[in-house]
Amino acid sequence: MGTPQRATPTVTGGLAYAEVALPGALIGVAAGAFGAGTAALAGLPLPLILTITAGLGVPLALAGGCYCVLLALGRLRIGAVAPAALYWAVAFPAARLVEETAMAWYLGQATLLREPLWSFLLFQAMLSVGYAIGFLWLHERLAPRWLLATSGHNPVAGDLAGRYLRHLEVMSRRRAPAATGRRGNG
């Protein structure tokens, strides 16, 4: 007889969703690190750089993770730009408000913003479209690989990976006639 094979333990419940949330959370952390790099290039002191990094990175990581969970629950569609843009039109301004609050706290300022809150939030909502597109682009390159790698022990990841594969098949079928037409015209 051969040696008994150990079954990979199945991840369930909240831990399964936390594992699915990881790619989105990492993108948020990367955005916070980008903010840190920008602050460092501006010559800001290290404590303020760390405040900016945490103030922006933590809320973006939480929102990115929540985005992944909403995908897993079927509340958002894979590859859909408009729902992602609407999601980030709320989440990105909220993250920026947390960052501004953290900076005001660090600097000991009594006032949080130099402009009215509605103006700040509206401007951040406009900027969020760019963040949403970048987030979606990165997410669709990182998440499917992670989901496939974790699908063996995580049924939530397996389900979402299957949906990504079906989405890829649909997109490939849609692109095939267009690619054939371009080759025929050349």
Side-chain angles (χ1 to χ4, degrees), residues 26-125:
L26 288 176
I27 294 169
V29 169
F34 184 78
T38 304
L41 287 174
L44 298 178
L46 182 60
L48 185 54
I49 293 171
L50 295 175
T51 301
I52 291 168
T53 304
L56 184 61
V58 170
L60 287 179
L62 289 172
C66 287
Y67 179 88
C68 296
V69 169
L70 290 171
L71 281 176
L73 292 171
R75 303 289 190 263
L76 293 172
R77 277 191 10 240
I78 293 170
V81 176
L86 289 173
Y87 177 84
W88 286 108
V90 173
F92 185 79
R96 283 283 295 119
L97 190 58
V98 170
E99 178 193 21
E100 289 291 326
T101 303
M103 287 192 317
W105 172 80
Y106 170 79
L107 296 171
Q109 295 177 340
T111 57
L112 178 61
L113 301 169
R114 289 176 288 210
E115 68 265 12
L117 179 60
W118 68 268
S119 176
F120 174 82
L121 293 175
L122 183 60
F123 181 69
Q124 297 307 315

